Amino acid sequence: MSQTPSPLPPSLEHASAATSAAESALSQRATGLIHHPYAPPAGFDAVPPGVFKASTVFFANTAELHSREWKDKTGYTYGLHGTPTTFTLEERLATLEGGLQTLLAPSGLSALTLVSQALLKAGDEVLIPDNAYAPNKDFCRVELAQWGITHRVYDPLDPASLTGLIHERTRLVWLEAPGSVTLEFPDLAALIQVLRQHPQVVIALDNTWGAGLAFNPFELGVPAFTDTRGVDISVHALTKYPSGGGDVLMGSVVTRDAALHLRLKLTHMRLGLGVGANDAESLLRGLPSLVLRYQAHDAATRQIAHWLQARPEFSAVLHPALPSSPGHDAWARVARHAGGLVSVVLDAQRHPREKVHAFVDALKLFRIGYSWGGPVSLVMPYGLKGMRQHGALAGASGTLVRFAIGLEDVGDLIGDIEQALTALG
Ligand SMILES: Cc1ncc(COP(=O)(O)O)c(C=O)c1O
C-alpha cells in the first residue's frame, strides 16, 4: 500500500504527534479533574462547622430526584433551598430567638419585606409604628400601596389607640422595640394583648435591637388568648450584632408556628431569596461571641448614656435604661439588657444644624456611617422636623444625633465626645 505523503516537513510531523498526545492528556485531565474518584474520609470534626457552597446539588438517580424533600430539611435539592451551612445557621438562630424555625434573607430589610409580601394581598391593611425602621415604613407607603395594600401608622406608646385602628382587613401588625433612632420602648405585652383579640392579625417584631438577648420575643408574658405569649414572627437584621464585624449583610425570620413558617418559606422560595455560603460562615463565626459582645456594647452604652445625661448641651438623652427615656418602665418589665444605641436631642434654638454637624465632624473615634453592632463606634445626625407624628418628638425641629457604641475603650469614647462638643460653640 502506498502511504499518503504527509503535508508536513519531518520536523513538524514529530511536533504534531506530541501535540496530539498532549491534547489527549489534556482532555483526560479535564474530565478527571471534574469527576475525581477521591473522597476524603468521613468523620472530620473541628471548631467551625464545614462550609458548603452550592447552586447545583447532585441526585444519585431519578428516584432520589423525585423523593427528596427540602421544605422540612430532610434533604438537599438546590442551593437556594438550603445547604448544610445554611441549615446549621438557621437552627442556631432559632435557638438565639427562642423560636423553632428560621428563614435567611440577604439583608435585614429583605427579611422585613419578605414578611409583608408573604402575608398581605390586595385589599389588606398593615399597621406599623410611628418609630419603625424608616425603610420598612417606606416599603409600606410605596411598594405595598402599588399592590393595593394600605397601611396605617400607630403610636407605639399608646396600646389603647390600636383598638380603634384594627378592622377585618388588618392582617399584619409590625412592632419594634425600641423604635429606630428615637429609641422609645413600647409596652410589648400590652400591644400584643390588644392584637390577640383579633385572630386574623399576625404580629411581627423587628427584633434587631434586642438581638434575641435583651428579651425573648416569643415569651413576653402576654395572657394566653392563644398558645403564644409573645409575637408570631421575629425579624432580625443579622447585619448588626450577630455579624459583629460591619462586613456582612443578612436577615432572619424566626417563627414558632410550622404553618406560618411554611407560608413564609414558600414566598421566600418564589422570590428567590438566598444567602452566600461565605456570609453564612461569617455569621457562624460571630454567634459564639455574640453574648459577650452584646453585654460589652450594653455596659459601655449605659456608661456613656449617663455621662451624656450630665452634660448641659442636650435637651434629651434617649436610651431605654435611663428612667427619663420614653418607655423606660416598659423596657424594665421585659428586658435586662439595653443594646448599644443612645441618641441625644439638640434643641434648634440653642444649637443650629450647622453647629451640630460641626460637632459630628469633629468626632475622631466615632465614624460617620449607618448601621451598628460592629467594633467601630458610629455616629449619625438626623433632622427631627417631620420625623415623628406621635410622642414627645412630634413637631420637634432640632437635630438628633445617634451614637452606636462599638468595642473601643469607654473612656476614650467619652473623651472623643467631650473634645468634639467644643465645636458646638
Ligand atoms: C432596626 C433595623 N431593622 C432592620 C434594618 C435593616 O438591616 P439591613 O441593613 O441588613 O438591611 C436596620 C438597619 O439599619 C435596622 O436598624
Side-chain angles (χ1 to χ4, degrees):
M1 263 174 51
S2 67
Q3 276 201 327
T4 318
S6 165
L8 298 174
S11 59
L12 284 184
E13 237 174 52
H14 181 70
S16 160
T19 308
S20 71
E23 261 163 17
S24 91
L26 197 78
S27 62
Q28 275 171 23
R29 301 270 191 287
T31 303
L33 285 172
I34 296 168
H35 297 270
H36 201 284
Y38 178 77
F44 180 80
D45 200 11
V47 176
V51 180
F52 293 84
K53 302 180 179 186
S55 48
T56 300
V57 299
F58 298 134
F59 302 89
N61 49 47
T62 48
E64 203 171 274
L65 171 68
H66 295 123
S67 64
R68 265 199 220 159
E69 181 50 76
W70 60 276
K71 292 194 233 39
D72 63 5
K73 294 195 189 178
T74 52
Y76 305 102
T77 52
Y78 189 56
L80 261 185
H81 303 159
T83 64
T85 305
T86 57
F87 284 179
T88 303
L89 180 57
E90 286 166 9
E91 291 303 309
R92 292 186 186 191
L93 291 168
T95 298
L96 172 66
E97 303 259 356
L100 293 176
Q101 310 91 9
T102 305
L103 292 168
L104 299 173
S107 66
L109 181 56
S110 64
L112 291 165
T113 61
L114 162 66
V115 171
S116 292
Q117 289 177 92
L119 301 183
L120 298 169
K121 62 181 187 321
D124 289 347
E125 185 158 280
V126 52
L127 302 184
I128 189 154
D130 190 26
N131 55 9
Y133 177 57
N136 197 16
K137 278 171 92 176
D138 288 344
F139 184 76
C140 295
R141 192 174 51 78
V142 182
E143 306 298 335
L144 293 182
Q146 293 190 140
W147 304 332
I149 298 160
T150 55
H151 80 282
R152 285 207 256 182
V153 173
Y154 71 89
D155 178 357
L157 296 194
D158 183 6
S161 70
L162 267 183
T163 309
L165 295 178
I166 301 170
H167 47 71
E168 71 281 0
R169 290 197 300 108
T170 315
R171 296 289 153 160
L172 174 65
V173 176
W174 281 104
L175 309 179
E176 200 171 319
S180 273
V181 180
T182 45
L183 302 176
E184 305 92 344
F185 206 96
D187 184 339
L188 289 168
L191 289 168
I192 295 169
Q193 205 168 342
V194 171
L195 296 171
R196 283 284 173 238
Q197 298 178 42
H198 304 271
Q200 85 281 9
V201 170
V202 176
I203 306 172
L205 169 75
D206 181 335
N207 194 28
T208 304
W209 179 93
L213 300 174
F215 55 87
N216 183 344
F218 296 99
E219 296 288 345
L220 289 162
V222 183
F225 287 97
T226 64
D227 55 1
T228 49
R229 289 172 181 266
V231 301
D232 298 310
I233 300 172
S234 178
V235 176
H236 193 165
L238 308 171
T239 309
K240 320 293 176 197
Y241 297 116
S243 151
D247 55 354
V248 176
L249 288 156
M250 204 183 291
S252 61
V253 180
V254 174
T255 45
R256 268 192 182 181
D257 179 276
L260 179 59
H261 170 68
L262 183 60
R263 200 169 154 196
L264 293 160
K265 186 171 203 151
L266 291 174
T267 300
H268 178 271
M269 184 266 290
R270 290 183 203 109
L271 289 172
L273 300 181
V275 303
N278 287 343
D279 288 344
E281 179 194 18
S282 296
L283 261 298
L284 285 166
R285 276 177 73 98
L287 286 182
S289 62
L290 173 64
V291 171
L292 291 178
R293 289 186 285 106
Y294 195 83
Q295 285 172 334
H297 287 293
D298 180 8
T301 308
R302 286 183 204 229
Q303 231 179 303
I304 291 170
H306 281 109
W307 183 86
L308 291 167
Q309 213 176 24
R311 294 289 309 197
E313 291 88 353
F314 309 121
S315 46
V317 179
L318 306 169
H319 179 279
L322 292 177
S324 58
S325 201
H328 166 76
D329 291 345
W331 168 81
R333 275 197 292 281
V334 294
R336 291 214 322 279
H337 295 288
L341 298 175
V342 55
S343 295
V344 292
V345 176
L346 293 116
D347 178 61
Q349 308 300 323
R350 283 167 63 206
H351 306 293
R353 206 166 69 114
E354 314 76 68
K355 289 283 183 195
V356 178
H357 288 180
F359 158 63
V360 170
D361 289 341
L363 289 161
K364 294 187 169 77
L365 294 177
F366 284 87
R367 303 298 306 270
I368 301 170
Y370 291 107
S371 204
W372 29 285
V376 176
S377 290
L378 300 172
V379 62
M380 189 54 67
Y382 295 87
L384 279 170
K385 197 156 187 238
M387 186 192 261
R388 295 287 174 254
Q389 296 173 31
H390 300 280
L393 293 172
S397 61
T399 311
L400 178 149
V401 175
R402 186 186 73 181
F403 299 101
I405 307 305
L407 296 172
E408 303 94 335
D409 177 75
V410 185
D412 289 343
L413 293 176
I414 289 175
D416 192 28
I417 300 174
E418 192 165 28
Q419 66 78 27
L421 280 173
T422 56
L424 270 181

